[in-house]
Amino acid sequence: MRQITMAEAINEALREEMRKDPNMFILGEEIGLRGGAFTCTKGLMEEFPGRVLDTPISESAIAGAAYGAALTGTKAVAEFMFSDFSFIAMDQIINSAAKSRYMFGGQATIPVVFRMSSGSGRQQAAQHSQSLEVLYAHIPGLKVIMPSTPYDAKGLLKAAINDYNPVVFLEPRVLYFKKGEVPEQEYTIPIGKGDIKRSGEDVTVVATGVMVERSLAVAEKLGREGISVEVIDPRTIRPLDTELIVASVKKTGRLIVVHEAPRTYGMAGEIIALVMEQAFDYLNAPPQRVAGHDVPIPYNRNLERLAIPLEEDIEAAVRKSLKYAF
């Protein structure tokens, strides 16, 4: 199977869906002539004149226009260069897009996707490096997706574009130019279905975004010692594939949740609570959280690196979990 980057996979998803639906359009800052800050929309303006709109620097206008278009039945994909900038569009996303299907008694559909880069790792400092997936997952009416591979990014974005609910699509910035296998033929991935990235028997590690790659590296290392780690990527933050996670914990008896976002009120706490409610009697060790520190992301490269979980942090949690025997 061919290898392409996540940015190329996102570009393909947009291109394929725009070819199929002449009523679909995309809008955002510098997505046209420049092809996007991370090349995700490169070449689309030339192929789809009038349907790839460079906008002023106004996230509220971008979100409002996309939401309004979606209300009329037009498929809209809005791009925010950084997820941090989406704060300016909170009213449009949270009070309008997320609420409309409910407020209109299910009579309206809202086929809008809010794409945004997410996370740290490129020395872009505190105002350009946040991980906001749990903030959006807290809002009823929104679906929240965070892929970790080019394959998942393409399949999930195509599914999001064809969903009739507003979707927040978070793209880990440091993964844009990582390559992975993506088939030539079209495909979609169901929203709400996680993926077992590596099967194991001893410990379940649930990881999101860039932490999937780090967790897999740890699992590979520990596997050489005879420690079998199962790595699960939820892929969709909301709705969460709770069934997949609970089934894995019932098999391994141990749970570690890893995410880049700050530890306090992070999604690890939610996942652990769900497991405690549904699989408490199967646990052989206390569930653990491995998460970002409760600090703004520093600009300094060394400090930035230390602000989020490292492979050694994940490894230490796995080894600690294996010491327990309830």
Side-chain angles (χ1 to χ4, degrees):
M1 197 182 297
R2 65 182 180 147
Q3 298 258 341
I4 64 174
T5 67
M6 183 180 284
E8 291 169 332
I10 290 167
N11 184 282
E12 281 192 0
L14 293 168
R15 190 182 302 274
E16 288 173 6
E17 294 305 314
M18 292 185 78
R19 285 174 177 170
K20 287 191 291 186
D21 190 346
N23 288 320
M24 175 183 163
F25 76 104
I26 61 178
L27 70 164
E29 298 162 13
E30 301 184 355
I31 67 167
L33 290 174
R34 184 182 175 187
F38 305 102
T39 71
C40 294
T41 54
K42 184 178 180 180
L44 297 183
M45 175 177 266
E46 291 77 11
E47 182 171 349
F48 307 102
R51 294 167 58 198
V52 179
L53 308 180
D54 274 324
T55 68
I57 303 175
S58 176
E59 282 74 18
S60 59
I62 295 168
Y67 159 69
L71 272 178
T72 71
T74 302
K75 291 180 181 176
V77 178
E79 177 180 313
F80 301 137
M81 198 176 295
F82 295 89
S83 63
D84 315 68
F85 298 170
S86 69
F87 285 129
I88 302 166
M90 282 292 178
D91 186 60
Q92 289 79 5
I93 298 172
I94 293 176
N95 280 334
S96 295
K99 306 295 190 295
S100 291
R101 294 205 74 181
Y102 171 77
M103 293 175 68
F104 297 157
Q107 298 180 75
T109 59
I110 318 292
V112 60
V113 180
F114 301 103
R115 289 184 46 242
M116 54 192 82
S117 71
S118 174
S120 62
R122 296 188 58 165
Q123 280 192 278
Q124 290 169 324
Q127 295 173 320
H128 299 73
S129 303
Q130 295 174 90
S131 299
L132 304 177
E133 59 272 16
V134 173
L135 187 153
Y136 284 113
H138 187 68
I139 306 301
L142 292 179
K143 295 185 178 182
V144 183
I145 296 172
M146 179 182 281
S148 68
T149 67
Y151 176 84
D152 291 344
K154 181 176 180 180
L156 285 165
L157 181 55
K158 287 169 69 69
I161 290 168
N162 289 292
D163 199 286
Y164 288 108
N165 298 281
V167 179
V168 174
F169 198 89
L170 294 151
E171 302 158 5
R173 197 168 307 119
V174 296
L175 299 181
Y176 272 132
F177 303 108
K178 293 285 183 74
K179 289 189 174 183
E181 292 185 344
V182 177
E184 295 274 1
Q185 66 271 25
E186 287 195 40
Y187 66 95
T188 59
I189 296 171
I191 295 173
K193 292 294 182 182
D195 188 34
I196 299 175
K197 297 298 185 185
R198 181 187 176 106
S199 295
E201 302 292 331
D202 298 328
V203 184
T204 297
V205 174
V206 178
T208 59
V210 70
M211 293 300 144
V212 175
E213 184 180 61
R214 296 185 183 184
S215 297
L216 287 170
V218 170
E220 177 69 23
K221 176 183 177 181
L222 295 177
R224 294 192 289 269
E225 301 178 22
I227 300 171
S228 179
V229 179
E230 181 149 293
V231 179
I232 291 178
D233 179 2
R235 301 193 294 197
T236 304
I237 310 302
R238 182 174 184 147
L240 181 68
D241 194 347
T242 306
E243 183 178 343
L244 179 68
I245 296 169
V246 168
S248 177
V249 173
K250 286 182 176 180
K251 176 178 66 172
T252 67
R254 293 174 171 84
L255 172 65
I256 297 163
V257 186
V258 189
H259 57 71
E260 180 178 346
R263 172 187 172 100
T264 302
Y265 300 107
M267 70 174 294
E270 176 68 15
I271 291 174
I272 290 170
L274 290 167
V275 168
M276 294 294 284
E277 291 168 355
Q278 300 181 38
F280 176 78
D281 291 337
Y282 293 85
L283 288 169
N284 295 318
Q288 295 182 68
R289 296 177 289 174
V290 181
H293 293 286
D294 293 330
V295 297
I297 298 296
Y299 170 75
N300 177 277
R301 184 180 298 278
N302 292 326
L303 292 177
E304 179 187 41
R305 178 175 175 272
L306 294 172
I308 64 173
L310 304 172
E311 289 180 18
E312 48 260 45
D313 300 320
I314 303 169
E315 180 181 345
V318 172
R319 293 189 186 279
K320 179 180 178 181
S321 184
L322 291 169
K323 291 180 180 178
Y324 289 91
F326 284 177

